[in-house]
Amino acid sequence: MAFELPKLAYSYDALEPHIDARTMEIHHSKHHAGYTNNLNTAIAGTDLENQSIEEILGNISQLSVAIRNNGGGFFNHDLFWKVMSPNGGGKPSGNLLAAIERDFGSFDFFKAEFSKAAATRFGSGWAWLVKQANGKLVVSSTANQDNPLMDIADVKGTPILGLDVWEHAYYLKFQNRRPDYISEFWEVINWEEVAKRFQD
Ligand code: MN
């Protein structure tokens, strides 16, 4: 069973003015499509074709660099599209907000920690809000297309929010101004989706 490029739940221009349509189109139809196709090529004819992407990533130390890079890219972008929405922004509520306040002290402190992780990731990578096995929420960042599901990750757990800080995610609109892109991300976060992933 080949992995399929997921469709977006909104149009390429739906996140304007925060994230521009041209970047969304290239990011989804070229970059994410490329990771998906390359993942399928890398696992073709192996028993990995019968595994979920979570299973594959959890055993990534035993697998090829191509599967690590493209399997990560496949999963990470699927999460990224889903944790954004044209109706996003604001703050979480309920159990998720309570857990953020418990583990970070306040929403504003969490926001600062996550933004710092995104801004200070050198080169290409991702910032994450991670639910660890014990239920605790932590912020982390990973290089390239790695993520917290991978058995090689420094901070392991379930990523419930992720921000792509590869230049391909922001360069057309923001050029070198990664902090401005990070600020705009907060305006489109789909907290309902993040809360759903927190509860699961
Ligand atoms: Mn990307």
Side-chain angles (χ1 to χ4, degrees):
M1 294 278 274
F3 290 101
E4 282 184 29
L5 178 67
K7 289 192 169 60
L8 299 189
Y10 43 80
S11 60
Y12 287 136
D13 64 359
L15 303 180
E16 296 259 13
H18 309 291
I19 300 184
D20 64 288
R22 184 73 176 135
T23 296
M24 287 296 297
E25 180 178 3
I26 296 170
H27 203 173
H28 178 257
S29 71
K30 305 296 184 192
H31 292 279
H32 197 187
Y35 297 124
T36 306
N37 292 336
N38 291 336
L39 171 63
N40 285 330
T41 299
I43 65 172
T46 75
D47 61 4
L48 297 174
E49 287 185 305
N50 302 313
Q51 293 188 16
S52 68
I53 190 62
E54 290 85 357
E55 288 175 290
I56 291 171
L57 297 178
N59 197 32
I60 208 71
S61 62
Q62 308 302 312
L63 302 172
S64 70
V65 172
I67 297 173
R68 177 173 169 176
N69 289 339
N70 293 292
F74 172 77
F75 175 92
N76 294 347
H77 290 85
D78 184 40
L79 175 94
F80 187 48
W81 311 135
K82 287 174 177 156
V83 297
M84 296 190 290
S85 164
N87 305 312
K91 283 172 67 168
S93 59
N95 291 342
L96 175 58
L97 179 60
I100 287 172
E101 291 175 340
R102 177 195 68 202
D103 293 334
F104 296 97
S106 69
F107 177 77
D108 286 344
F109 191 78
F110 154 69
K111 184 174 176 179
E113 286 289 296
F114 185 95
S115 297
K116 189 172 98 180
T120 58
R121 163 51 54 190
F122 185 77
S124 297
W126 292 74
W128 306 104
L129 175 60
V130 183
K131 184 182 180 184
Q132 296 187 301
N134 62 6
K136 186 175 159 63
L137 292 174
V138 293
V139 163
S140 75
S141 99
T142 53
N144 303 316
Q145 295 295 352
D146 288 354
N147 70 41
L149 293 175
M150 293 182 173
D151 59 353
I152 46 86
D154 292 333
V155 176
K156 296 180 191 60
T158 303
I160 63 171
L161 176 67
L163 174 57
D164 187 345
V165 295
W166 283 56
E167 284 188 344
H168 70 222
Y170 62 87
Y171 205 84
L172 287 180
K173 181 175 168 73
F174 298 97
Q175 294 81 50
N176 62 316
R177 302 186 309 278
R178 188 192 288 184
D180 292 352
Y181 160 69
I182 296 168
S183 296
E184 295 295 330
F185 177 65
W186 294 97
E187 304 301 322
V188 296
I189 295 177
N190 181 354
W191 287 112
E192 280 183 31
E193 177 68 22
V194 181
K196 189 169 86 94
R197 288 164 187 263
F198 173 70
Q199 294 295 349
D200 284 350

